[in-house]
Amino acid sequence: MAARIGIFAVVVAVFLSIPAFSSAQDLQIVNAERRIDLSSHIVKAFLTLKVENIGKNPAAEMLLAFSPTQIKNLAMVQALAITGKKKKKTYLPLDVKPTEQPDAPNDTGYYRVTFISPLGPGETVSLEVLYILTHSLEPFPVEITQSESQLVYYHDSAVILSPYHVKQQTTFVKTPSTRVESFTSIEPANRAGKEIKYGPYENRASYSYAPVIIHFENNSPFAVVEELVREIEISHWGSLQITEHYRLTHGGARHKDVFSRVDYQSKRSVSGASSFNALLAVLPPRVNSVYYRDDIGNISTSHLRTGFRKSELEFEPRYPLFGGWRATFIIGYRVPLEDYLFEASDGRRYLNFTFGCPLVETIVNKLTIKVVLPEGSKDPSAVLPFTVNQELQVKYSYLDIVGRTVVVLQKDNVVPTHNVPFQVYYTFKPIYMLAEPFMLVSAFFFVFVASLAYVHIDLNIARK
């Protein structure tokens, strides 16, 4: 434990010894309030900023700074501009993009936030920022028995890392329970129930850093999908077929010693508190032909609830998952085509479906979505609200002649916030819908002709 803290202190000392990066000194943060939610294994941080232009020229944008560790685990950053007061407040989304800055201290990462309109000298703007971190809770101890609770470390700073001077700031950290083994105290700091408060701190220079370590209990399911492949096959004959291949693991403290099924069944709350044996998938409304299976076969431990807005599939793997344990399975279902396929004003057709992973409160290390277009589709293009890797493939199915175009979308480090609609546009001539019926009719015709020829030859032989 002492060695781990010593290494961390050396890293922080190196970080603080690097000269501050001096850019955009025309801005300062009048007030910053940060709320960090550690309730699950997905860390959510809500940041409220009041930014002032203290320069002589209008400012069109500002920078958000993140440490190298945070940049590595950063899944999403969103920003909203707040206008109005109290009940008349409105929230306007802002453009947020990653950017690089020359001479950034200690490989600090940046996101650029563009204001709705340039901030004039002496003016202020209020912002709300959400950023989400994955794989940021470190189990300690790294191995636990079936009867032990899971304890984790969280590393951060009591003050925000910012390229601007901060006049006043406060950080609140919410833990899942009241069991907190230890936390770094940087005065003023106090703890009440599930919340730890750091600050308020006054007049902190740019790139100030005050490292803190929080050691606490977190028995929430650390459900991590190592890889998810979702295939969405479009059929113009009336439905979408969705097939999802999962490789799931428990990303928490590794299980050690022998697993006792008897203790697990009889004392679930104390024997295997950090494990999970049930998952919830949010599926589209009006799903049908739902199935759930693994390498052995169909799994019957599932329950489907359908509704007008969504459907929920509750299911259990064949065995409970403890830290380090894995499971592979497939979920498949159909949905009506008219709910998700539309025609654009320029005559193109487009699919409107939900990106991300249907499993609730899950991290996906690697997500691949394959949209299989009908044969004959041309000029495909995908529209998403964030950056993904895109490529085109070809898939051959029954009765295909030239194959079907597949739009492949790939993204790493996916969280539930990524579950937003995306579109895939393509052109299609209705004449191509006759291709498969024509192939079927042709096949039956050739079989019929071959049968007649065989009967004719057989009769001729019989006569002789």
Side-chain angles (χ1 to χ4, degrees), residues 319-342:
Y319 48 84
L321 291 180
F322 286 80
W325 292 16
R326 290 174 168 81
T328 59
F329 54 89
I330 299 173
I331 297 176
Y333 52 93
R334 289 180 180 270
V335 291
L337 184 68
E338 63 267 20
D339 292 352
Y340 302 96
L341 192 67
F342 308 94

PDB file of all heavy atoms in Angstrom, residues 319-342:
ATOM      1  N   TYR A 319     -24.456 -19.426 -15.364  1.00  0.00           N
ATOM      2  CA  TYR A 319     -23.829 -19.433 -14.039  1.00  0.00           C
ATOM      3  C   TYR A 319     -23.582 -17.989 -13.625  1.00  0.00           C
ATOM      4  O   TYR A 319     -23.457 -17.089 -14.476  1.00  0.00           O
ATOM      5  CB  TYR A 319     -22.502 -20.210 -14.077  1.00  0.00           C
ATOM      6  CG  TYR A 319     -21.603 -19.827 -15.220  1.00  0.00           C
ATOM      7  CD1 TYR A 319     -20.744 -18.728 -15.142  1.00  0.00           C
ATOM      8  CD2 TYR A 319     -21.631 -20.556 -16.410  1.00  0.00           C
ATOM      9  CE1 TYR A 319     -19.922 -18.371 -16.195  1.00  0.00           C
ATOM     10  CE2 TYR A 319     -20.817 -20.202 -17.480  1.00  0.00           C
ATOM     11  CZ  TYR A 319     -19.968 -19.111 -17.362  1.00  0.00           C
ATOM     12  OH  TYR A 319     -19.169 -18.753 -18.419  1.00  0.00           O
ATOM     13  N   PRO A 320     -23.545 -17.706 -12.314  1.00  0.00           N
ATOM     14  CA  PRO A 320     -23.262 -16.327 -11.871  1.00  0.00           C
ATOM     15  C   PRO A 320     -21.846 -15.928 -12.250  1.00  0.00           C
ATOM     16  O   PRO A 320     -20.951 -16.776 -12.378  1.00  0.00           O
ATOM     17  CB  PRO A 320     -23.441 -16.405 -10.351  1.00  0.00           C
ATOM     18  CG  PRO A 320     -23.218 -17.845 -10.013  1.00  0.00           C
ATOM     19  CD  PRO A 320     -23.734 -18.630 -11.175  1.00  0.00           C
ATOM     20  N   LEU A 321     -21.635 -14.633 -12.420  1.00  0.00           N
ATOM     21  CA  LEU A 321     -20.328 -14.126 -12.816  1.00  0.00           C
ATOM     22  C   LEU A 321     -19.630 -13.462 -11.627  1.00  0.00           C
ATOM     23  O   LEU A 321     -20.156 -12.508 -11.043  1.00  0.00           O
ATOM     24  CB  LEU A 321     -20.470 -13.124 -13.955  1.00  0.00           C
ATOM     25  CG  LEU A 321     -20.911 -13.704 -15.305  1.00  0.00           C
ATOM     26  CD1 LEU A 321     -21.009 -12.606 -16.343  1.00  0.00           C
ATOM     27  CD2 LEU A 321     -19.961 -14.784 -15.776  1.00  0.00           C
ATOM     28  N   PHE A 322     -18.465 -13.991 -11.274  1.00  0.00           N
ATOM     29  CA  PHE A 322     -17.592 -13.378 -10.287  1.00  0.00           C
ATOM     30  C   PHE A 322     -16.431 -12.687 -11.027  1.00  0.00           C
ATOM     31  O   PHE A 322     -16.294 -12.809 -12.245  1.00  0.00           O
ATOM     32  CB  PHE A 322     -17.053 -14.439  -9.319  1.00  0.00           C
ATOM     33  CG  PHE A 322     -18.079 -14.931  -8.334  1.00  0.00           C
ATOM     34  CD1 PHE A 322     -19.014 -15.882  -8.698  1.00  0.00           C
ATOM     35  CD2 PHE A 322     -18.105 -14.435  -7.028  1.00  0.00           C
ATOM     36  CE1 PHE A 322     -19.957 -16.343  -7.792  1.00  0.00           C
ATOM     37  CE2 PHE A 322     -19.053 -14.888  -6.119  1.00  0.00           C
ATOM     38  CZ  PHE A 322     -19.982 -15.839  -6.504  1.00  0.00           C
ATOM     39  N   GLY A 323     -15.612 -11.949 -10.270  1.00  0.00           N
ATOM     40  CA  GLY A 323     -14.529 -11.199 -10.878  1.00  0.00           C
ATOM     41  C   GLY A 323     -13.617 -12.062 -11.740  1.00  0.00           C
ATOM     42  O   GLY A 323     -13.124 -13.095 -11.281  1.00  0.00           O
ATOM     43  N   GLY A 324     -13.429 -11.648 -13.006  1.00  0.00           N
ATOM     44  CA  GLY A 324     -12.579 -12.387 -13.928  1.00  0.00           C
ATOM     45  C   GLY A 324     -13.295 -13.474 -14.701  1.00  0.00           C
ATOM     46  O   GLY A 324     -12.745 -14.007 -15.664  1.00  0.00           O
ATOM     47  N   TRP A 325     -14.532 -13.843 -14.336  1.00  0.00           N
ATOM     48  CA  TRP A 325     -15.278 -14.875 -15.051  1.00  0.00           C
ATOM     49  C   TRP A 325     -15.889 -14.299 -16.322  1.00  0.00           C
ATOM     50  O   TRP A 325     -16.218 -13.117 -16.394  1.00  0.00           O
ATOM     51  CB  TRP A 325     -16.369 -15.456 -14.162  1.00  0.00           C
ATOM     52  CG  TRP A 325     -15.839 -16.255 -13.001  1.00  0.00           C
ATOM     53  CD1 TRP A 325     -14.568 -16.258 -12.497  1.00  0.00           C
ATOM     54  CD2 TRP A 325     -16.586 -17.161 -12.198  1.00  0.00           C
ATOM     55  NE1 TRP A 325     -14.462 -17.099 -11.429  1.00  0.00           N
ATOM     56  CE2 TRP A 325     -15.690 -17.675 -11.206  1.00  0.00           C
ATOM     57  CE3 TRP A 325     -17.897 -17.593 -12.177  1.00  0.00           C
ATOM     58  CZ2 TRP A 325     -16.084 -18.592 -10.247  1.00  0.00           C
ATOM     59  CZ3 TRP A 325     -18.305 -18.509 -11.218  1.00  0.00           C
ATOM     60  CH2 TRP A 325     -17.405 -19.000 -10.264  1.00  0.00           C
ATOM     61  N   ARG A 326     -16.072 -15.173 -17.328  1.00  0.00           N
ATOM     62  CA  ARG A 326     -16.568 -14.736 -18.627  1.00  0.00           C
ATOM     63  C   ARG A 326     -17.755 -15.571 -19.075  1.00  0.00           C
ATOM     64  O   ARG A 326     -17.941 -16.698 -18.624  1.00  0.00           O
ATOM     65  CB  ARG A 326     -15.463 -14.819 -19.686  1.00  0.00           C
ATOM     66  CG  ARG A 326     -14.348 -13.791 -19.502  1.00  0.00           C
ATOM     67  CD  ARG A 326     -13.209 -14.009 -20.487  1.00  0.00           C
ATOM     68  NE  ARG A 326     -12.286 -12.882 -20.495  1.00  0.00           N
ATOM     69  CZ  ARG A 326     -11.338 -12.703 -19.613  1.00  0.00           C
ATOM     70  NH1 ARG A 326     -11.165 -13.587 -18.643  1.00  0.00           N
ATOM     71  NH2 ARG A 326     -10.542 -11.646 -19.684  1.00  0.00           N
ATOM     72  N   ALA A 327     -18.534 -14.992 -19.994  1.00  0.00           N
ATOM     73  CA  ALA A 327     -19.663 -15.700 -20.599  1.00  0.00           C
ATOM     74  C   ALA A 327     -19.849 -15.190 -22.022  1.00  0.00           C
ATOM     75  O   ALA A 327     -19.662 -13.999 -22.299  1.00  0.00           O
ATOM     76  CB  ALA A 327     -20.945 -15.480 -19.788  1.00  0.00           C
ATOM     77  N   THR A 328     -20.187 -16.088 -22.921  1.00  0.00           N
ATOM     78  CA  THR A 328     -20.499 -15.715 -24.302  1.00  0.00           C
ATOM     79  C   THR A 328     -21.923 -16.161 -24.611  1.00  0.00           C
ATOM     80  O   THR A 328     -22.343 -17.249 -24.210  1.00  0.00           O
ATOM     81  CB  THR A 328     -19.519 -16.367 -25.298  1.00  0.00           C
ATOM     82  OG1 THR A 328     -19.589 -17.792 -25.166  1.00  0.00           O
ATOM     83  CG2 THR A 328     -18.100 -15.908 -25.037  1.00  0.00           C
ATOM     84  N   PHE A 329     -22.653 -15.320 -25.322  1.00  0.00           N
ATOM     85  CA  PHE A 329     -24.038 -15.643 -25.661  1.00  0.00           C
ATOM     86  C   PHE A 329     -24.491 -14.795 -26.844  1.00  0.00           C
ATOM     87  O   PHE A 329     -23.804 -13.856 -27.263  1.00  0.00           O
ATOM     88  CB  PHE A 329     -24.969 -15.432 -24.460  1.00  0.00           C
ATOM     89  CG  PHE A 329     -24.894 -14.066 -23.840  1.00  0.00           C
ATOM     90  CD1 PHE A 329     -25.697 -13.023 -24.298  1.00  0.00           C
ATOM     91  CD2 PHE A 329     -24.020 -13.799 -22.797  1.00  0.00           C
ATOM     92  CE1 PHE A 329     -25.629 -11.766 -23.729  1.00  0.00           C
ATOM     93  CE2 PHE A 329     -23.944 -12.542 -22.221  1.00  0.00           C
ATOM     94  CZ  PHE A 329     -24.764 -11.529 -22.691  1.00  0.00           C
ATOM     95  N   ILE A 330     -25.661 -15.157 -27.362  1.00  0.00           N
ATOM     96  CA  ILE A 330     -26.246 -14.477 -28.521  1.00  0.00           C
ATOM     97  C   ILE A 330     -27.682 -14.098 -28.185  1.00  0.00           C
ATOM     98  O   ILE A 330     -28.431 -14.900 -27.613  1.00  0.00           O
ATOM     99  CB  ILE A 330     -26.227 -15.371 -29.767  1.00  0.00           C
ATOM    100  CG1 ILE A 330     -24.793 -15.756 -30.142  1.00  0.00           C
ATOM    101  CG2 ILE A 330     -26.902 -14.673 -30.950  1.00  0.00           C
ATOM    102  CD1 ILE A 330     -24.709 -16.766 -31.268  1.00  0.00           C
ATOM    103  N   ILE A 331     -28.058 -12.879 -28.534  1.00  0.00           N
ATOM    104  CA  ILE A 331     -29.452 -12.427 -28.447  1.00  0.00           C
ATOM    105  C   ILE A 331     -29.901 -12.050 -29.854  1.00  0.00           C
ATOM    106  O   ILE A 331     -29.185 -11.343 -30.578  1.00  0.00           O
ATOM    107  CB  ILE A 331     -29.608 -11.220 -27.504  1.00  0.00           C
ATOM    108  CG1 ILE A 331     -29.226 -11.594 -26.081  1.00  0.00           C
ATOM    109  CG2 ILE A 331     -31.035 -10.678 -27.541  1.00  0.00           C
ATOM    110  CD1 ILE A 331     -29.271 -10.430 -25.111  1.00  0.00           C
ATOM    111  N   GLY A 332     -31.069 -12.533 -30.247  1.00  0.00           N
ATOM    112  CA  GLY A 332     -31.601 -12.218 -31.568  1.00  0.00           C
ATOM    113  C   GLY A 332     -33.075 -11.861 -31.498  1.00  0.00           C
ATOM    114  O   GLY A 332     -33.799 -12.342 -30.620  1.00  0.00           O
ATOM    115  N   TYR A 333     -33.524 -11.025 -32.414  1.00  0.00           N
ATOM    116  CA  TYR A 333     -34.937 -10.637 -32.452  1.00  0.00           C
ATOM    117  C   TYR A 333     -35.246  -9.953 -33.776  1.00  0.00           C
ATOM    118  O   TYR A 333     -34.344  -9.572 -34.531  1.00  0.00           O
ATOM    119  CB  TYR A 333     -35.289  -9.713 -31.279  1.00  0.00           C
ATOM    120  CG  TYR A 333     -34.386  -8.512 -31.118  1.00  0.00           C
ATOM    121  CD1 TYR A 333     -34.695  -7.281 -31.706  1.00  0.00           C
ATOM    122  CD2 TYR A 333     -33.209  -8.597 -30.363  1.00  0.00           C
ATOM    123  CE1 TYR A 333     -33.865  -6.189 -31.547  1.00  0.00           C
ATOM    124  CE2 TYR A 333     -32.377  -7.504 -30.201  1.00  0.00           C
ATOM    125  CZ  TYR A 333     -32.711  -6.310 -30.791  1.00  0.00           C
ATOM    126  OH  TYR A 333     -31.875  -5.221 -30.640  1.00  0.00           O
ATOM    127  N   ARG A 334     -36.530  -9.802 -34.044  1.00  0.00           N
ATOM    128  CA  ARG A 334     -37.013  -9.088 -35.229  1.00  0.00           C
ATOM    129  C   ARG A 334     -37.862  -7.898 -34.800  1.00  0.00           C
ATOM    130  O   ARG A 334     -38.490  -7.924 -33.734  1.00  0.00           O
ATOM    131  CB  ARG A 334     -37.860 -10.007 -36.125  1.00  0.00           C
ATOM    132  CG  ARG A 334     -37.080 -11.089 -36.852  1.00  0.00           C
ATOM    133  CD  ARG A 334     -38.022 -11.929 -37.718  1.00  0.00           C
ATOM    134  NE  ARG A 334     -37.300 -12.976 -38.418  1.00  0.00           N
ATOM    135  CZ  ARG A 334     -36.758 -12.846 -39.618  1.00  0.00           C
ATOM    136  NH1 ARG A 334     -36.881 -11.680 -40.257  1.00  0.00           N
ATOM    137  NH2 ARG A 334     -36.121 -13.840 -40.190  1.00  0.00           N
ATOM    138  N   VAL A 335     -37.893  -6.869 -35.652  1.00  0.00           N
ATOM    139  CA  VAL A 335     -38.763  -5.705 -35.438  1.00  0.00           C
ATOM    140  C   VAL A 335     -39.391  -5.334 -36.786  1.00  0.00           C
ATOM    141  O   VAL A 335     -38.806  -5.598 -37.846  1.00  0.00           O
ATOM    142  CB  VAL A 335     -37.985  -4.500 -34.866  1.00  0.00           C
ATOM    143  CG1 VAL A 335     -37.537  -4.771 -33.443  1.00  0.00           C
ATOM    144  CG2 VAL A 335     -36.795  -4.144 -35.724  1.00  0.00           C
ATOM    145  N   PRO A 336     -40.581  -4.730 -36.770  1.00  0.00           N
ATOM    146  CA  PRO A 336     -41.240  -4.351 -38.021  1.00  0.00           C
ATOM    147  C   PRO A 336     -40.419  -3.325 -38.798  1.00  0.00           C
ATOM    148  O   PRO A 336     -39.873  -2.373 -38.225  1.00  0.00           O
ATOM    149  CB  PRO A 336     -42.582  -3.757 -37.561  1.00  0.00           C
ATOM    150  CG  PRO A 336     -42.792  -4.312 -36.194  1.00  0.00           C
ATOM    151  CD  PRO A 336     -41.430  -4.464 -35.599  1.00  0.00           C
ATOM    152  N   LEU A 337     -40.352  -3.498 -40.111  1.00  0.00           N
ATOM    153  CA  LEU A 337     -39.547  -2.627 -40.952  1.00  0.00           C
ATOM    154  C   LEU A 337     -40.063  -1.193 -40.943  1.00  0.00           C
ATOM    155  O   LEU A 337     -39.268  -0.237 -40.929  1.00  0.00           O
ATOM    156  CB  LEU A 337     -39.543  -3.164 -42.390  1.00  0.00           C
ATOM    157  CG  LEU A 337     -38.664  -2.419 -43.394  1.00  0.00           C
ATOM    158  CD1 LEU A 337     -37.202  -2.607 -43.053  1.00  0.00           C
ATOM    159  CD2 LEU A 337     -38.951  -2.905 -44.810  1.00  0.00           C
ATOM    160  N   GLU A 338     -41.390  -1.019 -40.914  1.00  0.00           N
ATOM    161  CA  GLU A 338     -41.951   0.334 -41.033  1.00  0.00           C
ATOM    162  C   GLU A 338     -41.616   1.232 -39.843  1.00  0.00           C
ATOM    163  O   GLU A 338     -41.727   2.459 -39.926  1.00  0.00           O
ATOM    164  CB  GLU A 338     -43.472   0.276 -41.199  1.00  0.00           C
ATOM    165  CG  GLU A 338     -44.242  -0.327 -40.027  1.00  0.00           C
ATOM    166  CD  GLU A 338     -44.479  -1.808 -40.183  1.00  0.00           C
ATOM    167  OE1 GLU A 338     -43.747  -2.439 -40.976  1.00  0.00           O
ATOM    168  OE2 GLU A 338     -45.394  -2.336 -39.518  1.00  0.00           O
ATOM    169  N   ASP A 339     -41.169   0.646 -38.725  1.00  0.00           N
ATOM    170  CA  ASP A 339     -40.805   1.458 -37.557  1.00  0.00           C
ATOM    171  C   ASP A 339     -39.421   2.089 -37.685  1.00  0.00           C
ATOM    172  O   ASP A 339     -39.117   3.050 -36.969  1.00  0.00           O
ATOM    173  CB  ASP A 339     -40.837   0.599 -36.290  1.00  0.00           C
ATOM    174  CG  ASP A 339     -42.248   0.172 -35.918  1.00  0.00           C
ATOM    175  OD1 ASP A 339     -43.209   0.674 -36.552  1.00  0.00           O
ATOM    176  OD2 ASP A 339     -42.395  -0.665 -35.004  1.00  0.00           O
ATOM    177  N   TYR A 340     -38.591   1.574 -38.609  1.00  0.00           N
ATOM    178  CA  TYR A 340     -37.194   2.000 -38.623  1.00  0.00           C
ATOM    179  C   TYR A 340     -36.657   2.344 -40.008  1.00  0.00           C
ATOM    180  O   TYR A 340     -35.538   2.855 -40.115  1.00  0.00           O
ATOM    181  CB  TYR A 340     -36.306   0.903 -38.006  1.00  0.00           C
ATOM    182  CG  TYR A 340     -36.724   0.571 -36.602  1.00  0.00           C
ATOM    183  CD1 TYR A 340     -37.568  -0.502 -36.330  1.00  0.00           C
ATOM    184  CD2 TYR A 340     -36.302   1.360 -35.544  1.00  0.00           C
ATOM    185  CE1 TYR A 340     -37.966  -0.789 -35.037  1.00  0.00           C
ATOM    186  CE2 TYR A 340     -36.697   1.077 -34.246  1.00  0.00           C
ATOM    187  CZ  TYR A 340     -37.532   0.008 -33.998  1.00  0.00           C
ATOM    188  OH  TYR A 340     -37.941  -0.264 -32.722  1.00  0.00           O
ATOM    189  N   LEU A 341     -37.402   2.079 -41.057  1.00  0.00           N
ATOM    190  CA  LEU A 341     -36.940   2.401 -42.406  1.00  0.00           C
ATOM    191  C   LEU A 341     -37.846   3.456 -43.006  1.00  0.00           C
ATOM    192  O   LEU A 341     -39.070   3.300 -43.038  1.00  0.00           O
ATOM    193  CB  LEU A 341     -36.919   1.157 -43.288  1.00  0.00           C
ATOM    194  CG  LEU A 341     -36.191   1.327 -44.621  1.00  0.00           C
ATOM    195  CD1 LEU A 341     -34.699   1.523 -44.401  1.00  0.00           C
ATOM    196  CD2 LEU A 341     -36.434   0.148 -45.548  1.00  0.00           C
ATOM    197  N   PHE A 342     -37.232   4.555 -43.512  1.00  0.00           N
ATOM    198  CA  PHE A 342     -37.999   5.692 -44.020  1.00  0.00           C
ATOM    199  C   PHE A 342     -37.419   6.155 -45.353  1.00  0.00           C
ATOM    200  O   PHE A 342     -36.337   5.714 -45.769  1.00  0.00           O
ATOM    201  CB  PHE A 342     -37.972   6.843 -43.005  1.00  0.00           C
ATOM    202  CG  PHE A 342     -38.388   6.433 -41.620  1.00  0.00           C
ATOM    203  CD1 PHE A 342     -37.434   6.065 -40.666  1.00  0.00           C
ATOM    204  CD2 PHE A 342     -39.724   6.392 -41.270  1.00  0.00           C
ATOM    205  CE1 PHE A 342     -37.809   5.689 -39.385  1.00  0.00           C
ATOM    206  CE2 PHE A 342     -40.112   6.007 -39.987  1.00  0.00           C
ATOM    207  CZ  PHE A 342     -39.152   5.656 -39.047  1.00  0.00           C
TER     208      PHE A 342
END
